[in-house]
């Protein structure tokens, strides 16, 4: 377990700011407790400081997880966000998309979102912006990348992709083995 | 035919240090014409190369190095011209001038000095020297203020001496540059006026690791990027303890990201909002035949009640909703007008 270097911090922040923008500071400067980011076995964990200190007492090989896992660094040092970060992305999301009930299941199985399944989308979403996906009852289902901007998606035909899938809460069941390393 | 010519011609001279054979004999004019040219030239070159190699193995003593037979070459005897003009002599510094005038010569000092306090020979400089700044006891001289810190005074004086020396060194360099010289080379091997940027970078890397800890604590200079796996060990911030260094890095990265943002005003959103308001006000105008409803004052701190509402409350709510909608459209109308008047957003139609 160690703090992130400058390059690693930049990679994580760039990824997070694609979804939450300036609210990144709200994650870092919290009023209740001091939270910190730590790297453990290529995964980035976001935890309060007392929790992190306790986790530091566990042997490196035997420590599975602590706090919230935001994502992992791949072998070529690229940062991928995981669905476990959804709790922190959903409240601060800049751009959101709501799915019709018919498209929810498709998304939760890992497929992309078509125009037919699009319920609502935030205004002025640029293309390739980070999107947090909700159901019509405002439950966060996952996140992805906008395949089309808002204006483009209005004119798109029903089978065109509107949102590329990146992570969904169905992964808790599908990728149980790989989510926590 | 060329072999017979060789016997009655000028013998070639050799410069074995440069692997040079100098054959002044002219080429046979008859053979340089026509189709015989190429084979003739090849033959001449082959013979000259052969005589050079035979000269090497005849003249020089052969040695055996592991599995190879080697002949070490003598130093070259042909003087080659300089590629660049010779360097100009450096103008003497102020001290050098003064020493020349007063004929002060350097006295070579011995490295070991007898130290009375410990009763042993100590080096004059470097590790194990008798450093006055490491004295455990300092006498307060009669002329000094009794409350003055003598240790602090020594430290300060040393700092001043070092700073003065540094200033004079820089003055010398600037005088040198003014009189047409170049920057002095770095002690780490690079530097000088003719160094490429690669050499300078290399010199920086070498300088940073030239200390007792092999550069473990050398700070990053400017916007320098340390290469992957450079340096003896990767250095991470401490895991627990003060989080200020970590915070500092995070603040810096956030600043960089903020600087990268291209559209701080989000003009696209503003334009969309304006369009929406125009559409809304257009609907309201259709609904109330162009009459603007009086604006209802919005009461602050209105709390919406959840759960079951009474029928009377529902009726009240629906009425207030109707008035709110009309008021909102009226407000939207005014806002749209003000937006149209403003010069930054929207086009005048």
């Amino acid at each position: 377990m160690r703090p992130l270097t400058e390059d690693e911090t930049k990679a994580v922040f760039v990824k997070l700011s694609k979804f939450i923008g300036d609210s990144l500071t709200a994650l870092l400067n919290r009023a209740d407790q001091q939270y910190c980011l730590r790297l453990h076995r290529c995964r980035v964990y976001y935890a309060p400081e007392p929790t992190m200190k306790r986790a530091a007492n566990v042997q490196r090989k035997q420590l599975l997880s602590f706090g919230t896992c935001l994502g992992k660094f791949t072998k070529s040092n690229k940062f991928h966000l995981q669905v476990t970060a959804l709790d922190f992305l959903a409240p601060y999301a800049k751009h959101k998309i709501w799915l019709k009930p018919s498209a929810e299941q498709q998304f939760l199985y890992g497929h992309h979102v078509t125009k037919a399944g699009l319920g609502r989308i935030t205004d002025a979403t640029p293309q390739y912006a980070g999107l947090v996906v909700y159901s019509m009852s405002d439950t966060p289902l996952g996140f992805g990348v906008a395949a089309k901007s808002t204006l483009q998606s209005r004119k798109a035909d029903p089978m065109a992709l509107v949102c590329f899938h990146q992570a969904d809460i169905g992964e808790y069941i599908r990728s149980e083995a790989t989510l926590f390393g | 035919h060329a072999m017979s010519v060789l016997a009655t011609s000028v013998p070639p001279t050799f410069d074995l240090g440069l692997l040079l054979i100098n054959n002044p004999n002219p080429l046979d004019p008859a053979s340089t014409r026509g189709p015989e040219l190429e084979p003739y030239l090849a033959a001449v070159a082959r013979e000259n190369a052969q005589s050079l190699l035979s000269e090497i193995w005849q003249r020089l003593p052969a040695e055996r190095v592991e599995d190879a037979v080697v002949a070490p070459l003598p130093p070259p005897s042909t003087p080659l011209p300089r590629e660049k003009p010779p360097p100009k002599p450096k103008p003497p510094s102020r001290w050098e001038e003064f020493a020349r005038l007063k004929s002060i010569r350097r006295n070579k000092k011995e490295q070991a000095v007898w130290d009375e306090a410990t009763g042993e020979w100590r080096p004059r400089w470097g590790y194990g020297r008798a450093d006055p700044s490491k004295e455990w006891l300092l006498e307060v001289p009669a002329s000094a203020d009794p409350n003055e810190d003598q240790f602090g005074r020594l430290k300060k004086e040393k700092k001043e001496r070092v700073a003065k020396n540094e200033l004079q060194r820089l003055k010398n360099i600037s005088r040198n540059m003014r009189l047409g010289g170049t920057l002095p080379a770095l002690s780490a091997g690079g530097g000088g006026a003719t160094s490429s940027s690669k050499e300078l970078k290399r010199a920086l890397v070498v300088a940073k690791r030239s200390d007792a800890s092999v550069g473990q604590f050398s700070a990053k200079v400017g916007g320098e990027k340390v290469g992957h796996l450079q340096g003896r060990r990767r250095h991470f911030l401490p895991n627990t303890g003060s989080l200020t260094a970590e915070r500092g890095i995070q603040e810096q990265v956030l600043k960089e990201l903020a600087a990268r943002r291209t559209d701080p005003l989000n003009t696209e959103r503003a334009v969309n909002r304006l369009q929406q308001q125009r559409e809304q006000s257009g609907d309201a105008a259709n609904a109330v035949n162009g009459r603007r409803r009086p604006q209802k004052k919005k009461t602050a701190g209105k709390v919406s009640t959840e759960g079951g509402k009474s029928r009377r409350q529902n009726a009240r709510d629906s009425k207030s909703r109707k008035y709110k909608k009309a008021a909102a459209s009226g407000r939207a109308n005014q806002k749209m007008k003000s937006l149209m008047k403003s010069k930054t957003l929207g086009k005048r139609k």
Side-chain angles (χ1 to χ4, degrees), chain B residues 213-278:
Chain B
S213 62
V214 205
Q216 256 194 324
F217 305 107
S218 298
K220 274 214 272 191
V221 175
E224 181 200 338
K225 285 188 192 178
V226 179
H228 183 60
L229 294 181
Q230 221 174 57
R232 198 156 141 220
R233 261 190 93 166
R234 287 221 293 169
H235 194 60
F236 300 121
L237 292 170
N239 193 19
T240 48
S242 151
L243 298 181
T244 46
E246 219 180 297
R247 278 275 170 275
I249 288 180
Q250 286 174 350
E251 296 293 320
Q252 203 181 339
V253 172
L254 284 173
K255 242 194 257 181
E256 264 181 71
L257 289 183
R260 267 206 236 164
R261 204 162 302 129
T262 49
D263 181 20
L265 288 175
N266 204 348
T267 46
E268 200 187 332
R269 182 172 276 180
V271 165
N272 285 350
R273 200 172 281 172
L274 176 62
Q275 276 184 333
Q276 268 183 358
Q277 280 164 351
R278 275 200 210 142

Side-chain angles (χ1 to χ4, degrees), chain A residues 60-102:
Chain A
R60 202 173 291 187
K61 278 192 185 162
Q62 296 183 347
L63 178 65
L64 202 58
S65 173
F66 63 99
T68 317
C69 174
L70 291 182
K72 62 184 264 196
F73 278 96
T74 62
K75 286 248 164 73
S76 56
N77 287 333
K78 298 203 173 53
F79 183 67
H80 284 180
L81 269 178
Q82 286 185 330
V83 69
T84 42
L86 189 60
D87 289 334
F88 297 103
L89 296 183
Y92 303 110
K94 261 201 313 190
H95 306 292
K96 305 179 185 178
I97 186 173
W98 285 263
L99 299 185
K100 291 185 188 152
S102 51

Side-chain angles (χ1 to χ4, degrees), chain B residues 15-304:
Chain B
D15 182 359
L16 293 177
L18 293 171
L19 290 178
L20 175 73
I21 172 170
N22 203 349
N23 190 341
N25 299 304
L27 294 173
D28 179 23
S31 313
T32 52
R33 289 194 200 97
E36 300 169 7
L37 173 64
E38 289 299 322
Y40 172 66
L41 291 176
V44 168
R46 191 172 47 245
E47 276 145 25
N48 282 317
Q50 183 64 63
S51 38
L52 172 65
L53 287 170
S54 50
E55 180 73 14
I56 286 174
W57 292 113
Q58 274 175 16
R59 197 56 62 92
L60 302 176
E63 292 170 6
R64 217 189 152 74
V65 174
E66 285 177 15
D67 291 340
V69 181
V70 155
L73 298 175
S77 54
T78 318
L80 294 171
R82 285 185 78 94
E83 186 195 339
K84 295 194 171 79
K88 292 178 222 142
K90 237 174 37 164
S93 65
R94 270 176 66 106
W95 166 255
E96 283 170 3
E97 264 301 315
F98 180 78
R100 189 179 62 84
L101 288 170
K102 298 272 186 160
S103 61
I104 298 172
R105 262 181 282 277
R106 291 191 68 118
N107 296 327
K108 205 124 167 82
K109 298 186 186 116
E110 301 229 331
Q111 198 187 351
V113 180
W114 176 251
D115 181 30
E116 196 61 57
T118 47
E120 57 185 27
W121 290 94
R122 283 190 130 169
R124 190 184 288 274
W125 39 263
Y127 180 75
R129 70 184 182 279
D131 198 351
S133 63
K134 295 215 174 68
E135 291 283 327
W136 65 275
L137 179 78
L138 280 177
E139 290 177 8
V140 177
S143 54
D145 175 21
N147 293 329
E148 191 190 7
D149 176 16
Q150 295 301 318
F151 299 97
R153 182 179 63 84
L154 280 184
K155 270 201 173 136
K156 207 165 60 146
E157 282 172 3
K158 169 141 196 193
K159 267 197 181 154
E160 283 169 10
R161 270 181 281 139
V162 167
K164 176 174 175 262
N165 189 302
E166 182 69 18
L167 180 68
Q168 286 175 328
R169 184 181 76 89
L170 293 173
K171 272 189 183 165
N172 280 333
I173 291 171
S174 77
R175 185 183 314 110
N176 220 0
M177 299 289 285
R178 217 177 344 113
L179 299 173
T182 54
L183 281 171
L186 297 173
S187 55
T194 53
S195 298
S196 64
S197 70
K198 239 189 194 177
E199 284 177 24
L200 288 172
K201 280 180 190 165
R202 183 72 196 149
L204 176 65
V205 165
V206 170
K208 279 171 65 144
R209 70 160 186 241
S210 309
D211 55 22
S213 62
V214 205
Q216 256 194 324
F217 305 107
S218 298
K220 274 214 272 191
V221 175
E224 181 200 338
K225 285 188 192 178
V226 179
H228 183 60
L229 294 181
Q230 221 174 57
R232 198 156 141 220
R233 261 190 93 166
R234 287 221 293 169
H235 194 60
F236 300 121
L237 292 170
N239 193 19
T240 48
S242 151
L243 298 181
T244 46
E246 219 180 297
R247 278 275 170 275
I249 288 180
Q250 286 174 350
E251 296 293 320
Q252 203 181 339
V253 172
L254 284 173
K255 242 194 257 181
E256 264 181 71
L257 289 183
R260 267 206 236 164
R261 204 162 302 129
T262 49
D263 181 20
L265 288 175
N266 204 348
T267 46
E268 200 187 332
R269 182 172 276 180
V271 165
N272 285 350
R273 200 172 281 172
L274 176 62
Q275 276 184 333
Q276 268 183 358
Q277 280 164 351
R278 275 200 210 142
E279 285 167 19
Q280 259 186 2
S281 69
D283 289 343
N286 289 337
V288 298
N289 290 329
R291 257 174 58 204
R292 243 184 289 142
R293 291 281 163 144
Q295 285 204 34
K296 187 170 183 189
K297 260 193 252 166
K298 195 175 176 187
T299 56
K302 200 167 186 184
V303 179
S304 61

